[in-house]
Amino acid sequence: MSDVVGLPVRVRVVGRPGCGRRTVTRVLRGAGVAVVTSTAAADLDVHVFAETVKPEDRHALTTSPRPVVAVLNKADLTGFGGSGPVAAAAERCRLLSERVGVPVYPLAGLAAAAAVDDRILDDEMLGALRRLTVDPADLGSTDRFATGRHALPDAVRRRLLVDLDLFGIAHAVLALRNGADRTAVISALRQASALDGLLAGLEAAAAPVRYRRLTEEFGDSAAEEAVAARMAAAIDVVQAAGMTVDADVSAQAHLRRAVVWQRYSGGPVSRLHSRCGADIARGSLRLWERAGGIPEALP
């Protein structure tokens, strides 16, 4: 197998100035995503916007030559009420996805950065947050937190705002009040930031890229390794699209899966999904043969 097939899927972070491209880049790199700056080297675009999709965002999302995942950064500023700002942002992202035709995910960028960068939540920050659990400060606005009377030095409060903002401060303080240690605070920030939802979205968008690499590598080879690899990559693609693939390993299940996906491949689906269906069917038939399957009447 070539080195190209084994390369991680590379993303390029784009978007309008002021929407948090640097923060999102830092978050993705901290989470282990391969972020590149070269257009030629990128497999996916991550388009960052804030508040709403503007005409220039819509143009970029619909004209990119690569698959695109959009990120509503600063999701913690969406508005309060209900289940909180990030939940409200997630619903907005769902509606925007339907409108622009690409997946859109919310992200509270600063909280996510603190969750993936061990240098942010150091002893000074953690000590300041613990102080806030017993000596609350006014978190009603940035100005009130920064300038209100409190025992925390102004410089420490400014650092808390720069690194966590009010949203991250509030979630970290809540976690500490509930008995969290440093690791648990980081986990709480990660969950609150919606980072894992974005990473899952990137993984789903990467599935077709990996599949195309494999098909270019193996072509129509009937070798055992090629058939198994193409089937596995094809399953990732259709599952990323929300479909379920029967994972039963009995001979009957392999045959049934082959029939289902062969029919699917001939249906009104995209060329990519037609090829994936055919690869799942071929791989399933190979597994059926290896399991000692014998011809039988189909239901």
Side-chain angles (χ1 to χ4, degrees):
M1 192 177 299
S2 73
D3 292 338
V4 173
V5 172
L7 284 174
V9 172
R10 299 155 300 189
V11 308
R12 185 177 69 120
V13 179
V14 297
R16 289 181 285 110
C19 291
R21 289 174 300 178
R22 291 180 186 174
T23 298
V24 173
T25 296
R26 183 159 51 110
V27 168
L28 293 181
R29 283 182 171 149
V33 177
V35 180
V36 296
T37 56
S38 166
T39 302
D43 300 304
L44 296 171
D45 279 349
V46 173
H47 185 92
V48 183
F49 68 100
E51 295 182 6
T52 189
V53 174
K54 294 189 175 181
E56 52 266 46
D57 296 314
R58 186 183 296 271
H59 177 76
L61 291 171
T62 56
T63 60
S64 172
R66 290 168 294 280
V68 184
V69 170
V71 178
L72 171 57
N73 190 31
K74 306 178 185 179
D76 47 301
L77 303 179
T78 298
F80 292 91
S83 299
V86 175
E91 176 60 18
R92 179 182 293 182
C93 288
R94 185 186 67 80
L95 296 174
L96 288 172
S97 295
E98 295 175 356
R99 193 177 308 161
V100 300
V102 303
V104 184
Y105 299 92
L107 183 72
L110 290 179
V116 298
D117 187 343
D118 288 341
R119 297 168 298 179
I120 292 177
L121 203 63
D122 58 18
D123 290 343
E124 180 186 55
M125 289 277 278
L126 198 59
L129 291 166
R130 286 199 174 105
R131 180 61 182 267
L132 292 174
T133 66
V134 296
D135 184 10
D138 189 342
L139 296 177
S141 73
T142 298
D143 286 342
R144 280 149 59 184
F145 179 75
T147 62
R149 297 185 62 181
H150 197 275
L152 284 179
D154 292 348
V156 173
R157 280 184 276 172
R158 284 195 297 270
R159 187 186 169 203
L160 284 168
L161 288 171
V162 168
D163 287 342
L164 293 177
D165 209 350
L166 295 176
F167 179 81
I169 295 169
H171 277 276
V173 168
L174 178 62
L176 288 167
R177 282 177 179 159
N178 290 331
D181 58 9
R182 181 174 181 275
T183 300
V185 171
I186 290 173
S187 178
L189 289 171
R190 183 176 184 124
Q191 182 177 357
S193 73
L195 171 59
D196 289 328
L198 170 58
L199 295 178
L202 288 175
E203 187 66 19
V209 176
R210 296 192 181 96
Y211 175 77
R212 289 189 180 100
R213 286 179 181 174
L214 278 170
T215 57
E216 291 171 2
E217 170 74 11
F218 290 119
D220 292 324
S221 171
E224 199 76 26
E225 178 191 17
V227 172
R230 288 184 59 142
M231 178 184 177
I235 288 174
D236 286 344
V237 171
V238 298
Q239 287 183 333
M243 287 173 274
T244 301
V245 179
D246 184 2
D248 194 335
V249 295
S250 66
Q252 294 87 348
H254 292 319
L255 182 59
R256 184 170 59 249
R257 189 188 314 112
V259 171
V260 167
W261 287 98
Q262 186 60 41
R263 288 173 178 166
Y264 174 84
S265 71
V269 296
S270 68
R271 185 168 181 267
L272 170 64
H273 276 245
S274 177
R275 294 175 66 188
C276 287
D279 278 332
I280 296 172
R282 183 166 66 160
S284 297
L285 283 175
R286 186 68 60 87
L287 291 172
W288 175 68
E289 292 173 357
R290 290 176 58 190
I294 57 175
E296 60 183 57
L298 297 178

